Amino acid sequence: MRPSGRTASQIRPVTITRQFTCHAEGSVLIEFGNTKVICNATVEEGVPRFMKGQGKGWITAEYSMLPRATHTRSAREAARGKQGGRTLEIQRLIARSLRAAVDLSILGENTITVDCDVIQADGGTRTASITGACVALVDALTHMRSKGIIKANPLKHMIAALSVGIYEGSAIADLEYVEDSAAETDMNVVMTETGQLIEVQGTAEGEPFSFDELNEMMTIAKAGLMELFEAQKLALS
Amino acid sequence: MRPSGRTASQIRPVTITRQFTCHAEGSVLIEFGNTKVICNATVEEGVPRFMKGQGKGWITAEYSMLPRATHTRSAREAARGKQGGRTLEIQRLIARSLRAAVDLSILGENTITVDCDVIQADGGTRTASITGACVALVDALTHMRSKGIIKANPLKHMIAALSVGIYEGSAIADLEYVEDSAAETDMNVVMTETGQLIEVQGTAEGEPFSFDELNEMMTIAKAGLMELFEAQKLALS
Amino acid sequence: MRPSGRTASQIRPVTITRQFTCHAEGSVLIEFGNTKVICNATVEEGVPRFMKGQGKGWITAEYSMLPRATHTRSAREAARGKQGGRTLEIQRLIARSLRAAVDLSILGENTITVDCDVIQADGGTRTASITGACVALVDALTHMRSKGIIKANPLKHMIAALSVGIYEGSAIADLEYVEDSAAETDMNVVMTETGQLIEVQGTAEGEPFSFDELNEMMTIAKAGLMELFEAQKLALS
Amino acid sequence: MRPSGRTASQIRPVTITRQFTCHAEGSVLIEFGNTKVICNATVEEGVPRFMKGQGKGWITAEYSMLPRATHTRSAREAARGKQGGRTLEIQRLIARSLRAAVDLSILGENTITVDCDVIQADGGTRTASITGACVALVDALTHMRSKGIIKANPLKHMIAALSVGIYEGSAIADLEYVEDSAAETDMNVVMTETGQLIEVQGTAEGEPFSFDELNEMMTIAKAGLMELFEAQKLALS
Amino acid sequence: MRPSGRTASQIRPVTITRQFTCHAEGSVLIEFGNTKVICNATVEEGVPRFMKGQGKGWITAEYSMLPRATHTRSAREAARGKQGGRTLEIQRLIARSLRAAVDLSILGENTITVDCDVIQADGGTRTASITGACVALVDALTHMRSKGIIKANPLKHMIAALSVGIYEGSAIADLEYVEDSAAETDMNVVMTETGQLIEVQGTAEGEPFSFDELNEMMTIAKAGLMELFEAQKLALS
Amino acid sequence: MRPSGRTASQIRPVTITRQFTCHAEGSVLIEFGNTKVICNATVEEGVPRFMKGQGKGWITAEYSMLPRATHTRSAREAARGKQGGRTLEIQRLIARSLRAAVDLSILGENTITVDCDVIQADGGTRTASITGACVALVDALTHMRSKGIIKANPLKHMIAALSVGIYEGSAIADLEYVEDSAAETDMNVVMTETGQLIEVQGTAEGEPFSFDELNEMMTIAKAGLMELFEAQKLALS
């Protein structure tokens, strides 16, 4: 029995609100249960220096949590003067995942920056960020086509992300905070809508996990991710 | 005629949503028209070093804008590695204003930190922050009394803040972005519900302003602030 | 009775020494009683990036206190690795005030940087800085004309600044440290020599202040500022 | 055919030199072919603040590359003033992995810091670091027992790490730089000597990878890791 | 013939003004010709952590130049966010030199910080700083005795510093800026009043220098330093 | 009798290993007894901004110690976010010394960066760095000629560096850590192979030193440096 009362493979209710703020080319509020993230996609001309002159675009991401998105207040990274290792790790993951969804050569020398700001956290903030960021990215690409900035759709496939884990010896999906903090293993899976893998990051928090448990987590992840793709489609329709 | 179509003294519709996020002791979403700020008040035991041993509490504030709260994306301060001068100036103003609303000696050696995070900006983000922060502060104080952390109510009076300015020679209230960027003078007024002044900050952006114009702005500010106190009362009732 | 023994409206003796150091295009030592600030104006070709191509000039300012300008030693900001909020706030105020004194379009694409370094502090360092910086600015502009860098005088009017406050219920002018630390309200007023306002920044340190007290402080400020303009004129003659 | 001429599952020659430098409690030079990393384990009394009073120890790690460990010179992180995201990510991985090898409650309130400094890089620096760090850790633990700092051996099992990837559609082990930069997928696997998993981090650099390819990589990783455990045993015997 | 018109061994006029500012326990303005440095000595209870519990005192120093102390404006270190290598090198030299003048065990667990702030630079700022700092130090020690903080005089001997160099093949003393920038070799010598050496730092800026030239510079330095000790004595009498 | 058992003028065994790592244009491991430093010289096109357009090259250096190069672990500078004063001082010394060995006008607009990374420290790390860096520099220059980047050899003369000191009243050469920490005076001498001086930096750590002692140290330094030039020649032959 999970602390959340959910079945092993049951994910939380997912809500995706587009045009959540008014300025960004793509703006999404995504909710995985009590986890809430604002994903804003910004389109800007030009690319970072290391990409210049190749005729290709770039996608990057930044991630942050409001200081009181969590049970106790965390120090604001801007006040501490640097982004922590966890933040850098997550925003690198979001950006890599989004780049894997897009044909950068169709994007032209433009940059899309997706800001994922967690306003309330209850586990799975990085997977909610990726899943919501992909919807914001789609809106930004639509904006670019409508403005004539790009001629074709660079999107290769939707992507989504889900956390899975081993909790009391069984694989469970979409861990909330209380489950996450008690899980033996925590794994994040980023997948395309065609069932191909973009990222797999599994970490033994307590006991090591077996090769069989890895397979169980992968199976349960795939099922949950398919539900996330449905939620994305619904939001975009 | 104002760009916003409002009369000179007309403020924007104000919406105050309490318990906007679930973890903070006080959590408010305040909207002045299209300006939207999340104000989260956190209660923590202890005070900063320079306050220790006096038996008094402390109130501090932090302010930030999501990178895409504005028309174009601003660099994230956490990524740049420091908070800008404007940010520091605003959060010092918010904190000073809140401290003027509270009897710190009743607060005990506890600290309340109010985080004001602008998720959408259309002028007046600092005044909306102060006005919303005061409501979040009240909820945090109520929480403290219900938990027995404090015995009496340290609130001396509600405070609220409003921007006023000189636009095409006339005083107007609650400037939105298009008005703010065209105004000759911009002034922020923080007042108590009893009509006493906490802060007055007037700046000639273009032409200097006269002593008479200062008085006109003060008059129009007072009227608008009284409406803000009504909105706070309604939200807290 | 003021701690300083002065009458309510009496300002401290003001001394302005031009050409205080030998390298700067304008170099002034200004003294408001025991408050002593070196104001050095530097002329440089070019403007910051955001101003390029507009044919206009720029004026900026930096402010600092020697670590032992005060009763006890403050940590050196260069050693701490960042400028504090108070420093940034003051140097933004100085720069805004100076820009309001000058027609930037006559300045050409040149930048004037005014460094205000407090060597001894006894209250009113920011108002002394502004008042002295304006004299250094005039010398720098004269230098520019003599070198043929500019054709006309961009100065629109002299500016000066004075602190006023409410001390034991009465408005007083030009607070020294002991008065400042005991005052209920502290206000800084930046004015043009023609009696128009550039900046008004009033803060209730203890009790809030009334609209009437605001007016009293403004009246007393105006009188004192007129004496400062006399001191500037004398120095420049 | 791999660029390195190796078979798909063939790992590079592994050399482990203990007591490589003279000051550290454990000091190892590990070589995976041309990749060379110095792993120094330092024993210090006390634990970080968040661990105090629990009677348990702590293990942490730092990672760096000499500026010219690579084909072209990278900027020195100490000179740039911060560690990059890649560095933080890797040192967090090393530390998590090492902590999974040790029973921290037997370690007492002591901290072991393992510094992994890459002096020459040719792919797989993080996996070489983990594999070498575990040997340095063993020497540090032996030192602690010989000095009577700990009474029992806190080591639960050896750990080692190996990179695997998909290169031209096939799974290969222990990628060197030329293979790594051409691989479609790159995966790092950290395992215990008993064949249990500590970390699995797979990333699609080019094309996404299938669930079957994940399994192939895991199989080939396990075989290579078993060879690394042999190399560790040999070095420690 | 020197650019300054001085003879090879002639130093510039030296002026030492004590009690230059009013707050510091020792405050000196020292002038070596056009080089002007404020040296403020601050006495504080306690010592840095690495000195605690030894019953000994500590002396440290900080050095800075006002941005426009020089011909062209240098960026303010506080604004750049760090002290440069030259600054750190100089303040380490000043502090080491001062510590060599004092018996730290007589100082008790107190710290003296000497701030050397260059307000006008014309070569030799570090040697003027050391020479002036020693006078400020003496005043601070006198203050400590008068307050009963120390029982005996910890001063072992006065110290002073002088720059010498090789200019067009000859040794010269106390280089001004134009001489310094054209000299082949620049050397700073810190000496006690009894003619013993504290620091010798010689650098070939252009051509290497011979062992004989080293001796010539040392001879000329000694003579000039003796004049500096006279100036110190005069100021302190 | 020296703690090391060596005679006063006896230097430690010197080992110079070229091509120590495989990527750098010049790569040297230099050992002065137990002090071991990797010196990597990197050739890059272009020069820093302040050198542009003069047709001359530039040589710079960076210095670091592995955290556990020393008896106890030092904090990693990259993690602390800045390089310490000692580091900056040493790398400025190394760079100045190397530039004195080369005719920059023959180098063309190219930059050579020499990274000196101490992997094991036992006194004299800066002198070993300079001595090894010069050999790495020679290899980098040879590389440049072989690639046709430069037409002539810009090397004016070899340079080397040695530490000397006053230990129990006598001058000794090449101090190891135990000698260095007990020495009254520590001096570093950088010399050309033709016996001309580049840098002389003597510091009284305990008692001041006399003019005679300075001469004794210089004499003993010269003898030791001649041995270092032999070791360099041997390595390069």
Side-chain angles (χ1 to χ4, degrees):
Chain A
M1 186 61 164
R2 298 173 61 167
S4 63
R6 287 186 270 143
T7 64
S9 64
Q10 193 182 350
I11 64 172
R12 290 174 284 181
V14 175
T15 310
I16 299 174
T17 307
R18 289 162 66 203
Q19 295 175 295
F20 183 68
T21 63
C22 66
H23 298 304
E25 283 73 39
S27 178
V28 161
L29 173 72
I30 188 160
E31 302 171 64
F32 278 21
N34 278 325
T35 290
K36 302 181 186 192
V37 187
I38 301 174
C39 305
N40 284 335
T42 295
V43 177
E44 288 167 309
E45 224 181 297
V47 285
R49 192 172 312 176
F50 68 92
M51 290 291 292
K52 274 190 184 147
Q54 305 179 32
K56 293 164 68 177
W58 189 244
I59 297 174
T60 186
E62 289 189 0
Y63 169 94
S64 184
M65 295 212 293
L66 295 201
R68 197 55 198 281
T70 43
H71 285 82
T72 56
R73 188 175 184 275
S74 313
R76 189 178 290 269
E77 289 184 323
R80 286 197 303 136
K82 64 173 174 177
Q83 295 177 293
R86 180 184 171 276
T87 293
L88 292 173
E89 200 169 307
I90 291 175
Q91 67 191 21
R92 284 159 56 92
L93 171 65
I94 298 170
R96 273 201 314 270
S97 299
L98 293 175
R99 285 195 293 271
V102 168
D103 184 338
L104 297 174
S105 63
I106 301 182
L107 204 55
E109 293 216 349
N110 299 292
T111 296
I112 300 175
T113 303
V114 185
D115 289 289
C116 297
D117 286 273
V118 180
I119 61 177
Q120 193 171 281
D122 187 26
T125 64
R126 80 187 71 186
T127 50
S129 293
I130 292 168
T131 306
C134 190
V135 176
L137 176 66
V138 167
D139 280 341
L141 294 174
T142 303
H143 168 88
M144 291 174 85
R145 288 197 72 182
S146 75
K147 295 284 175 193
I149 303 170
I150 52 174
K151 297 282 159 54
N153 187 357
L155 191 78
K156 297 196 287 191
H157 39 245
M158 293 298 289
I159 62 161
L162 189 67
S163 75
V164 288
I166 302 293
Y167 178 81
E168 297 194 354
S170 304
I172 59 172
D174 191 21
L175 289 68
E176 14 194 292
Y177 177 75
V178 287
E179 295 170 337
D180 189 42
S181 54
E184 290 108 51
T185 295
D186 178 29
M187 189 158 88
N188 295 292
V189 180
V190 187
M191 199 175 76
T192 67
E193 57 187 323
T194 57
Q196 297 287 97
L197 295 163
I198 301 287
E199 288 266 351
V200 174
Q201 296 197 340
T203 299
E205 303 285 352
E207 289 305 296
F209 54 105
S210 67
F211 281 64
D212 284 348
E213 285 172 325
L214 172 62
N215 282 333
E216 283 168 45
M217 287 189 285
M218 291 306 297
T219 303
I220 213 168
K222 189 170 187 177
L225 283 159
M226 284 308 173
E227 291 185 55
L228 292 179
F229 289 118
E230 287 308 309
Q232 288 180 332
K233 252 169 235 161
L234 190 65
L236 285 165
S237 67
Chain B
M1 186 62 163
R2 299 174 60 167
S4 63
R6 286 186 272 142
T7 65
S9 64
Q10 192 182 351
I11 64 171
R12 290 175 285 181
V14 175
T15 309
I16 297 175
T17 308
R18 289 162 65 203
Q19 294 174 295
F20 183 67
T21 63
C22 65
H23 298 304
E25 284 73 39
S27 179
V28 161
L29 173 71
I30 189 160
E31 301 171 63
F32 277 22
N34 278 324
T35 289
K36 301 183 185 189
V37 187
I38 300 174
C39 306
N40 284 334
T42 295
V43 176
E44 288 168 308
E45 223 181 298
V47 285
R49 192 170 313 175
F50 68 92
M51 290 291 293
K52 273 189 186 149
Q54 304 178 33
K56 292 164 69 177
W58 189 244
I59 297 175
T60 185
E62 289 189 358
Y63 168 93
S64 184
M65 294 213 293
L66 295 201
R68 196 56 198 282
T70 43
H71 285 81
T72 56
R73 187 175 185 274
S74 313
R76 188 179 290 269
E77 289 183 323
R80 287 197 303 136
K82 64 173 172 178
Q83 296 178 292
R86 180 184 171 276
T87 293
L88 293 173
E89 200 168 308
I90 292 175
Q91 67 191 21
R92 283 160 57 92
L93 170 64
I94 299 170
R96 273 201 313 271
S97 299
L98 293 175
R99 285 195 293 271
V102 168
D103 184 337
L104 296 175
S105 63
I106 300 181
L107 202 55
E109 293 218 349
N110 299 292
T111 296
I112 299 175
T113 304
V114 185
D115 289 288
C116 298
D117 286 273
V118 179
I119 60 176
Q120 192 171 283
D122 188 26
T125 64
R126 82 187 70 186
T127 50
S129 293
I130 292 168
T131 307
C134 189
V135 177
L137 177 66
V138 168
D139 279 341
L141 294 174
T142 303
H143 167 90
M144 291 175 85
R145 289 197 70 181
S146 74
K147 295 285 175 193
I149 302 170
I150 51 177
K151 298 281 161 54
N153 187 357
L155 191 77
K156 297 195 286 191
H157 38 243
M158 292 300 286
I159 61 162
L162 190 66
S163 76
V164 288
I166 301 294
Y167 178 81
E168 297 195 353
S170 304
I172 58 172
D174 191 21
L175 289 69
E176 15 194 290
Y177 176 76
V178 287
E179 295 171 337
D180 188 42
S181 53
E184 290 109 52
T185 294
D186 179 29
M187 189 158 88
N188 295 293
V189 180
V190 187
M191 199 176 77
T192 67
E193 59 188 321
T194 57
Q196 296 288 98
L197 294 163
I198 301 288
E199 288 266 349
V200 174
Q201 296 198 340
T203 300
E205 303 284 352
E207 288 305 295
F209 54 104
S210 66
F211 281 65
D212 284 348
E213 285 172 326
L214 173 61
N215 282 334
E216 282 168 48
M217 287 189 285
M218 291 305 297
T219 303
I220 212 169
K222 189 169 188 177
L225 282 158
M226 284 308 174
E227 290 186 54
L228 292 180
F229 289 118
E230 287 308 308
Q232 286 179 334
K233 252 170 234 161
L234 190 66
L236 284 165
S237 67
Chain C
M1 188 58 164
R2 297 175 60 167
S4 62
R6 287 185 272 143
T7 65
S9 64
Q10 192 182 351
I11 66 171
R12 290 174 283 182
V14 175
T15 310
I16 298 175
T17 309
R18 286 162 68 202
Q19 295 175 293
F20 183 67
T21 64
C22 66
H23 298 304
E25 283 75 38
S27 179
V28 162
L29 174 71
I30 188 160
E31 301 171 64
F32 278 22
N34 278 325
T35 289
K36 302 183 184 189
V37 188
I38 301 174
C39 306
N40 283 335
T42 295
V43 177
E44 287 167 310
E45 222 182 298
V47 285
R49 194 171 311 174
F50 68 93
M51 290 292 291
K52 272 188 186 148
Q54 304 178 35
K56 295 163 68 179
W58 189 243
I59 297 175
T60 186
E62 289 189 0
Y63 169 93
S64 184
M65 294 211 295
L66 294 202
R68 197 55 199 282
T70 43
H71 286 81
T72 56
R73 187 175 184 275
S74 313
R76 189 178 289 269
E77 290 183 323
R80 285 197 305 136
K82 63 173 176 180
Q83 296 176 293
R86 180 183 171 276
T87 293
L88 292 173
E89 201 168 308
I90 292 174
Q91 67 191 23
R92 283 157 57 90
L93 170 65
I94 299 169
R96 270 199 316 270
S97 299
L98 293 174
R99 284 195 294 272
V102 167
D103 184 338
L104 297 175
S105 63
I106 300 180
L107 203 54
E109 293 216 349
N110 298 293
T111 296
I112 299 174
T113 303
V114 185
D115 288 289
C116 297
D117 287 272
V118 180
I119 61 176
Q120 194 172 280
D122 187 25
T125 64
R126 79 188 72 186
T127 50
S129 294
I130 292 168
T131 307
C134 189
V135 177
L137 177 66
V138 167
D139 280 342
L141 293 174
T142 303
H143 167 90
M144 290 174 85
R145 288 197 73 180
S146 75
K147 295 285 174 194
I149 303 170
I150 51 176
K151 298 280 160 56
N153 186 358
L155 191 76
K156 296 196 289 192
H157 38 244
M158 292 299 286
I159 61 163
L162 190 67
S163 75
V164 288
I166 302 294
Y167 177 81
E168 297 194 354
S170 303
I172 58 173
D174 191 21
L175 290 67
E176 6 193 298
Y177 176 75
V178 288
E179 295 170 337
D180 189 42
S181 53
E184 291 108 50
T185 294
D186 178 28
M187 189 157 88
N188 295 294
V189 179
V190 187
M191 200 175 76
T192 67
E193 58 187 321
T194 57
Q196 297 286 98
L197 296 162
I198 301 286
E199 288 267 350
V200 174
Q201 296 196 339
T203 300
E205 303 285 351
E207 288 306 294
F209 54 105
S210 67
F211 281 64
D212 283 349
E213 286 172 325
L214 173 62
N215 282 334
E216 284 168 46
M217 287 189 285
M218 291 305 299
T219 303
I220 214 168
K222 190 170 187 175
L225 283 158
M226 285 306 173
E227 291 187 54
L228 292 180
F229 289 116
E230 287 308 309
Q232 287 179 334
K233 252 170 235 160
L234 190 65
L236 284 165
S237 68
Chain D
M1 187 61 165
R2 297 174 61 166
S4 62
R6 286 186 272 142
T7 64
S9 63
Q10 193 182 349
I11 64 172
R12 290 176 282 182
V14 175
T15 309
I16 298 174
T17 308
R18 288 163 67 202
Q19 295 174 293
F20 182 68
T21 63
C22 66
H23 298 305
E25 284 73 38
S27 179
V28 162
L29 173 71
I30 189 160
E31 302 171 64
F32 279 20
N34 278 325
T35 290
K36 302 184 185 188
V37 187
I38 300 175
C39 306
N40 283 336
T42 295
V43 176
E44 287 168 309
E45 222 182 297
V47 285
R49 193 170 312 174
F50 67 92
M51 290 291 294
K52 272 188 185 149
Q54 304 178 33
K56 293 162 69 176
W58 189 245
I59 298 174
T60 186
E62 288 189 0
Y63 169 94
S64 184
M65 294 211 294
L66 295 201
R68 197 54 198 283
T70 43
H71 286 79
T72 56
R73 188 175 184 274
S74 313
R76 190 179 289 269
E77 290 184 323
R80 286 199 303 138
K82 63 174 175 178
Q83 297 177 292
R86 179 183 172 275
T87 293
L88 292 174
E89 202 169 306
I90 292 174
Q91 68 191 21
R92 283 158 56 91
L93 171 64
I94 299 170
R96 271 200 316 271
S97 299
L98 294 175
R99 285 195 294 271
V102 168
D103 184 338
L104 297 175
S105 63
I106 300 180
L107 203 54
E109 294 217 348
N110 299 294
T111 297
I112 300 175
T113 304
V114 185
D115 289 289
C116 298
D117 286 273
V118 179
I119 61 176
Q120 192 171 283
D122 188 25
T125 64
R126 82 187 69 186
T127 49
S129 293
I130 292 168
T131 306
C134 189
V135 176
L137 176 66
V138 167
D139 279 341
L141 294 174
T142 302
H143 168 90
M144 290 175 84
R145 288 197 72 181
S146 74
K147 294 286 175 191
I149 303 170
I150 51 176
K151 299 279 161 53
N153 186 358
L155 190 77
K156 297 195 289 190
H157 39 244
M158 294 299 286
I159 62 161
L162 189 66
S163 76
V164 287
I166 302 294
Y167 178 80
E168 296 195 353
S170 303
I172 59 172
D174 192 20
L175 289 69
E176 8 192 296
Y177 176 75
V178 287
E179 295 170 336
D180 189 42
S181 53
E184 291 109 49
T185 294
D186 179 29
M187 190 157 88
N188 294 294
V189 179
V190 187
M191 199 176 76
T192 67
E193 58 188 321
T194 57
Q196 296 287 98
L197 296 162
I198 301 287
E199 287 266 349
V200 173
Q201 296 196 340
T203 300
E205 304 285 350
E207 289 305 295
F209 55 105
S210 66
F211 281 64
D212 284 349
E213 285 172 325
L214 173 62
N215 281 334
E216 282 168 46
M217 288 189 285
M218 291 304 298
T219 302
I220 213 169
K222 189 170 187 176
L225 282 158
M226 285 307 173
E227 290 185 55
L228 293 179
F229 289 117
E230 287 309 309
Q232 287 179 333
K233 251 170 236 160
L234 190 66
L236 284 165
S237 67
Chain E
M1 186 60 165
R2 297 175 61 168
S4 63
R6 287 185 271 143
T7 65
S9 65
Q10 192 182 350
I11 65 172
R12 291 175 283 182
V14 175
T15 311
I16 298 175
T17 309
R18 287 163 67 203
Q19 295 175 295
F20 183 67
T21 63
C22 66
H23 298 305
E25 283 73 40
S27 178
V28 161
L29 174 71
I30 188 160
E31 302 172 64
F32 278 21
N34 279 325
T35 290
K36 302 183 184 188
V37 187
I38 301 174
C39 306
N40 284 334
T42 295
V43 177
E44 287 167 311
E45 221 181 298
V47 284
R49 193 170 312 173
F50 68 92
M51 291 291 293
K52 274 189 184 146
Q54 304 177 34
K56 294 164 66 178
W58 189 244
I59 297 175
T60 185
E62 289 188 0
Y63 169 93
S64 184
M65 294 211 295
L66 294 202
R68 196 56 198 282
T70 43
H71 285 81
T72 56
R73 186 175 185 274
S74 313
R76 189 178 290 269
E77 290 183 323
R80 286 198 303 136
K82 62 174 176 179
Q83 296 177 293
R86 180 184 172 275
T87 294
L88 292 173
E89 202 169 306
I90 292 175
Q91 67 191 21
R92 283 158 56 91
L93 170 65
I94 299 170
R96 272 201 314 270
S97 300
L98 294 175
R99 285 194 295 271
V102 168
D103 184 337
L104 297 175
S105 64
I106 301 180
L107 203 55
E109 294 217 349
N110 299 293
T111 296
I112 300 175
T113 303
V114 185
D115 289 288
C116 298
D117 286 273
V118 180
I119 62 177
Q120 194 172 280
D122 188 25
T125 64
R126 80 187 70 187
T127 49
S129 294
I130 291 168
T131 307
C134 188
V135 177
L137 177 66
V138 167
D139 280 341
L141 293 174
T142 302
H143 167 90
M144 290 174 84
R145 289 196 72 179
S146 74
K147 294 285 174 192
I149 302 170
I150 52 177
K151 300 280 160 56
N153 187 357
L155 191 77
K156 298 194 288 190
H157 38 245
M158 291 300 286
I159 61 163
L162 190 66
S163 75
V164 288
I166 302 294
Y167 177 81
E168 296 194 355
S170 303
I172 60 173
D174 192 22
L175 290 68
E176 8 192 297
Y177 177 75
V178 287
E179 294 170 337
D180 189 42
S181 53
E184 290 109 52
T185 294
D186 179 29
M187 189 157 88
N188 294 293
V189 180
V190 187
M191 200 176 76
T192 67
E193 58 187 322
T194 57
Q196 298 286 99
L197 295 162
I198 303 287
E199 288 267 348
V200 174
Q201 296 196 340
T203 300
E205 304 284 352
E207 288 304 295
F209 54 105
S210 66
F211 281 64
D212 283 349
E213 286 172 324
L214 174 62
N215 281 335
E216 284 168 45
M217 288 189 285
M218 290 305 298
T219 303
I220 214 169
K222 189 170 187 177
L225 282 157
M226 285 307 175
E227 292 187 53
L228 292 179
F229 289 118
E230 287 309 309
Q232 287 179 333
K233 249 170 236 160
L234 191 66
L236 283 165
S237 68
Chain F
M1 187 61 165
R2 297 173 62 166
S4 63
R6 286 185 272 142
T7 65
S9 64
Q10 191 182 352
I11 64 172
R12 291 174 283 182
V14 175
T15 310
I16 298 176
T17 308
R18 287 161 69 202
Q19 295 175 295
F20 183 66
T21 63
C22 65
H23 298 305
E25 283 74 39
S27 178
V28 161
L29 174 71
I30 189 160
E31 302 171 63
F32 278 21
N34 279 324
T35 290
K36 303 183 185 190
V37 187
I38 301 174
C39 306
N40 283 335
T42 295
V43 177
E44 287 167 310
E45 222 181 298
V47 285
R49 194 171 311 175
F50 68 92
M51 290 292 292
K52 274 190 185 146
Q54 305 178 33
K56 294 164 66 178
W58 189 244
I59 297 175
T60 185
E62 289 188 359
Y63 169 93
S64 184
M65 295 212 293
L66 295 201
R68 196 57 198 281
T70 43
H71 285 81
T72 56
R73 188 176 183 274
S74 312
R76 188 179 290 269
E77 290 183 323
R80 286 198 303 135
K82 64 174 175 179
Q83 295 177 293
R86 180 183 170 275
T87 293
L88 292 173
E89 201 168 307
I90 293 175
Q91 66 191 22
R92 283 158 57 92
L93 170 64
I94 299 170
R96 270 200 317 270
S97 299
L98 293 176
R99 285 195 294 272
V102 168
D103 184 337
L104 296 174
S105 62
I106 301 181
L107 202 55
E109 293 216 348
N110 300 293
T111 296
I112 299 175
T113 304
V114 185
D115 289 289
C116 297
D117 286 273
V118 180
I119 61 176
Q120 192 172 282
D122 187 26
T125 64
R126 80 187 72 188
T127 50
S129 293
I130 292 168
T131 307
C134 189
V135 177
L137 177 65
V138 168
D139 279 341
L141 294 174
T142 303
H143 167 91
M144 290 175 84
R145 288 197 73 182
S146 74
K147 294 285 175 192
I149 303 170
I150 51 177
K151 299 281 160 54
N153 186 358
L155 192 78
K156 297 196 288 191
H157 38 245
M158 292 300 287
I159 62 162
L162 190 67
S163 75
V164 289
I166 302 294
Y167 178 82
E168 297 194 354
S170 304
I172 58 172
D174 191 21
L175 289 68
E176 11 193 294
Y177 177 76
V178 287
E179 295 170 337
D180 189 43
S181 53
E184 290 109 50
T185 294
D186 179 29
M187 188 158 87
N188 294 293
V189 180
V190 187
M191 199 176 76
T192 67
E193 57 188 322
T194 57
Q196 296 287 99
L197 295 163
I198 302 286
E199 288 267 350
V200 173
Q201 296 197 339
T203 300
E205 304 283 352
E207 288 305 295
F209 55 104
S210 66
F211 282 63
D212 284 348
E213 285 172 325
L214 173 62
N215 282 334
E216 283 168 47
M217 288 189 284
M218 290 306 296
T219 303
I220 213 169
K222 189 170 187 177
L225 281 157
M226 285 306 174
E227 291 186 56
L228 292 180
F229 289 117
E230 287 308 308
Q232 286 180 333
K233 253 170 234 160
L234 190 66
L236 283 165
S237 67

